[in-house]
């Protein structure tokens, strides 16, 4: 699911695939953004070391204190800190991930790691929206505020974490259990959101629970020329029909109610099929995998009972197991009485930003932050922008990027100046 002045200004990139400079000087924040995009942190072998060194360089330039936390070999969290004037107060956490998803380069107009900028100012690169933009926007907003001589009561921490794009199991999920995370004394966190094609800005106060379910069907084997009874394939057919009938009912519910977003319904997709050894042999075992994303409004226990019923109805020898089963359904308060939300929404109101509150349709590292008791909002300031996260030709316009810095330069003072809460004395 990002300001101030540099000693050196970087050149703009001319349209085309070469990435060579032929145009006028560009805003130094954009130059920095494009430099980050050119660091290849794509799975399955992200260059985390290069990304951390790049971010550490910026942190040093900004006068931020920095430390790294080794979670496991090759998996490092960078923490940059802008101390507040009252370190006893809970801090503001600005989180972003350094990894990006793979690309199918043949479908891209420009090479996905050259950060080409076209004549309209659109910057094409993997990570342009998800979420290297936000990382640089955080840093450049802090640059602007520090240049203006600002200081705030609450400490601001920036965390740059690995592994988010493959589940965060070696990243944020581990990090939130570490003493280094607890030492951050987090009060409120910002993390990634999504682009919005409309004038509104999407704000995510919760996430779906991702469940990956594998259903195994056992049945009678035999020769492919015979009508074998009680086959694994017949049972699988019933299982698939049950799951996909539910999928269609949720799709129709979303389609028929304009007040609903994708985050309000359960999405379900068949993603894997396994079974068979030969064309002329009826297999004794087949398996099917489903990716299910469940909103926090659904009763998780009741839904698992439904899954169990679908399997029972398919016949004997049908079992299921979970490869991922997130049970956390925490959501962040968006009540005006909540001091964090009041600060966030108030700063947006000053900028006349139209906010659309949503449940995130997929999953981000915010779920791990909420799970350990901290309010977190997913927000990427990209409106009037097509949603291209994980898609071909992912891009972000430089003016949208620069406006995002302006927005964070308003948000951070509001959040870091929230008065002491009752729990803080």
């Amino acid at each position: 699911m990002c300001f101030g002045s540099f000693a050196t200004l970087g050149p703009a990139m001319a349209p085309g695939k070469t990435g060579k400079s032929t145009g006028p000087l560009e805003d130094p924040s954009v130059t920095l953004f494009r430099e980050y995009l050119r660091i290849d942190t794509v799975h399955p072998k992200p260059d985390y070391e290069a990304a951390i060194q790049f971010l550490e360089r910026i942190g040093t330039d900004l006068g931020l204190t920095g430390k790294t936390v080794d979670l496991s070999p090759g998996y490092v969290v960078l923490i940059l800190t802008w101390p507040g004037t009252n370190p006893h107060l809970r801090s503001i956490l600005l989180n972003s991930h350094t990894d990006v998803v793979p690309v199918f380069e043949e479908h891209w107009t420009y090479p996905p790691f050259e950060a080409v900028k076209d004549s309209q100012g659109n910057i094409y690169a993997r990570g342009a929206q998800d979420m290297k933009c936000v990382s640089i926007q955080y840093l450049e907003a802090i640059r602007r505020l520090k240049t203006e001589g600002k200081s705030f009561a609450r400490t601001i921490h920036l965390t740059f974490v690995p592994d988010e794009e493959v589940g965060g199991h070696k990243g944020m999920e581990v990090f939130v259990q570490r003493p280094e995370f607890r030492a951050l004394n987090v009060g409120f966190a910002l993390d990634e959101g999504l682009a919005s094609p409309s004038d509104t800005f999407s704000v995510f106060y919760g996430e779906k629970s991702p469940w990956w379910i594998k259903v195994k069907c056992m049945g009678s084997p035999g020769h492919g020329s015979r009508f074998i009874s009680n086959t694994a394939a017949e049972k699988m057919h019933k299982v698939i029909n049950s799951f996909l009938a539910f999928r269609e009912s949720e799709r129709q519910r979303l389609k028929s109610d304009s007040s609903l977003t994708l985050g309000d319904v359960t999405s379900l997709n068949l993603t894997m099929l396994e079974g068979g050894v030969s064309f002329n042999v009826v297999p004794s075992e087949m398996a099917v995998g489903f990716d299910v994303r469940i909103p926090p409004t659904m009763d998780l226990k009741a839904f698992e009972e439904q899954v169990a019923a679908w399997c029972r109805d398919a016949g004997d020898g049908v079992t299921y197991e979970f490869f991922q089963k997130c049970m956390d359904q925490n959501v962040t308060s968006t009540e005006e009485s909540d001091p964090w939300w009041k600060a966030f929404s108030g700063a947006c109101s000053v900028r006349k930003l139209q906010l659309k509150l949503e449940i995130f349709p997929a999953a981000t590292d915010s779920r791990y932050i909420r799970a350990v008791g901290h309010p977190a909002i997913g927000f990427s300031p990209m409106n009037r922008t097509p949603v291209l996260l994980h898609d071909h030709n992912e891009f972000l316009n430089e003016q949208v990027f620069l406006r995002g810095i302006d927005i964070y330069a308003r948000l951070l003072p509001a959040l870091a100046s929230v008065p002491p809460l009752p729990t803080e004395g």
Side-chain angles (χ1 to χ4, degrees):
M1 225 188 184
C2 302
F3 199 109
S5 59
F6 273 89
T8 304
L9 295 176
M13 188 177 293
K17 301 186 179 183
T18 63
K20 294 181 180 179
S21 169
T22 59
L25 296 180
E26 69 183 357
D27 189 290
S29 299
V30 174
T31 302
L32 200 65
F33 175 38
R34 294 171 70 192
E35 184 179 350
Y36 190 24
L37 290 170
R38 294 186 189 113
I39 299 175
D40 188 346
T41 54
V42 67
H43 285 284
K45 294 182 179 181
D47 190 350
Y48 287 132
E49 183 177 357
I52 295 301
Q53 289 176 353
F54 169 79
L55 295 164
E56 282 181 320
R57 188 192 88 203
I58 301 172
T60 299
D61 185 39
L62 292 177
L64 304 177
T65 61
K67 68 178 294 184
T68 55
V69 180
D70 294 312
L71 302 178
S72 61
Y75 293 87
V76 177
V77 174
L78 172 65
I79 304 171
L80 298 178
T81 298
W82 185 8
T85 58
N86 188 346
H88 300 293
L89 297 179
R90 290 189 173 275
S91 67
I92 306 304
L93 177 65
L94 309 178
N95 184 62
S96 62
H97 61 82
T98 51
D99 55 328
V100 299
V101 296
V103 298
F104 297 96
E105 201 159 341
E106 66 273 18
H107 296 292
W108 285 67
T109 303
Y110 305 105
F113 296 102
E114 288 191 8
V116 171
K117 184 171 69 174
D118 69 14
S119 58
Q120 278 71 53
N122 296 321
I123 300 167
Y124 290 83
R126 176 58 86 221
Q129 293 187 16
D130 186 13
M131 63 174 297
K132 290 183 175 180
C133 57
V134 173
S135 301
I136 303 301
Q137 286 169 330
Y138 288 157
L139 289 162
E140 291 298 88
I142 288 174
R143 182 188 303 278
R144 177 182 297 183
L145 295 169
K146 286 175 71 74
T147 299
E148 293 172 352
K150 301 291 178 61
S151 62
F152 309 103
R154 296 181 185 274
T155 293
I156 296 175
H157 296 292
L158 300 93
T159 49
F160 304 90
V161 301
D163 202 55
E164 192 275 344
E165 293 293 7
V166 289
H169 307 302
K170 294 182 179 181
M172 185 59 82
E173 184 177 18
V174 177
F175 182 48
V176 295
Q177 303 302 326
R178 293 283 295 261
E180 294 92 341
F181 180 86
R182 291 192 288 273
L184 299 179
N185 192 29
V186 174
F188 182 83
L190 289 178
D191 200 354
E192 67 181 314
L194 291 173
S196 170
S198 70
D199 286 338
T200 63
F201 290 83
S202 297
V203 176
F204 299 95
Y205 61 95
E207 298 190 0
K208 290 182 175 181
S209 298
W211 284 15
W212 293 349
I213 306 171
K214 185 176 184 178
V215 181
K216 185 182 294 185
C217 302
M218 307 294 293
S220 302
H223 196 281
S225 64
R226 302 173 57 214
F227 286 111
I228 308 295
S229 298
N230 198 41
T231 64
E234 291 172 300
K235 298 171 185 178
M236 176 176 278
H237 183 215
K238 293 177 181 178
V239 167
I240 291 174
N241 279 350
S242 295
F243 274 79
L244 294 190
F246 173 77
R247 178 187 189 274
E248 179 61 17
S249 68
E250 289 294 279
R251 192 179 75 87
Q252 289 299 330
R253 188 161 72 92
L254 175 62
K255 183 179 178 181
S256 63
D257 188 343
S258 61
S259 70
L260 297 178
T261 68
L262 184 57
D264 296 316
V265 300
T266 299
S267 61
L268 184 155
N269 283 288
L270 192 163
T271 54
M272 293 192 298
L273 282 171
E274 301 172 3
V277 294
S278 175
F279 278 106
N280 61 348
V281 175
V282 175
S284 62
E285 178 181 327
M286 299 187 78
V288 58
F290 297 97
D291 182 342
V292 189
R293 309 296 176 108
I294 309 168
T297 51
M298 176 171 278
D299 184 325
L300 297 180
K301 182 179 178 182
F303 183 70
E304 184 172 355
E305 290 172 354
Q306 181 64 74
V307 169
W310 290 334
C311 292
R312 284 195 306 270
D313 292 346
D316 62 288
V318 179
T319 59
Y320 66 91
E321 62 178 317
F322 290 98
F323 283 72
Q324 181 172 210
K325 186 184 183 184
C326 178
M327 298 297 289
D328 177 65
Q329 292 187 297
N330 286 301
V331 296
T332 296
S333 173
T334 56
E335 298 292 330
E336 286 303 323
S337 59
D338 182 89
W340 300 113
W341 176 251
K342 183 178 180 181
F344 181 93
S345 62
C348 291
S349 178
V350 169
R351 293 281 302 175
K352 294 182 169 51
L353 307 184
Q354 300 177 55
L355 304 182
K356 183 178 182 181
L357 296 177
E358 300 182 51
I359 295 295
F360 199 83
T364 73
D365 281 336
S366 290
R367 69 189 187 277
Y368 300 123
I369 298 171
R370 294 190 190 99
V372 292
H374 305 303
I377 288 291
F379 178 68
S380 296
M382 302 181 289
N383 69 338
R384 302 173 187 171
T385 300
V387 180
L388 294 170
L389 293 84
H390 299 198
D391 207 341
H392 314 312
N393 289 322
E394 180 181 352
F395 75 84
L396 185 63
N397 185 271
E398 65 179 338
Q399 294 306 316
V400 175
F401 167 78
L402 290 169
R403 189 185 184 205
I405 298 172
D406 296 340
I407 291 170
Y408 281 120
R410 287 276 190 174
L411 282 174
L412 300 188
L415 292 168
S417 300
V418 168
L421 306 179
T423 56
E424 297 173 314

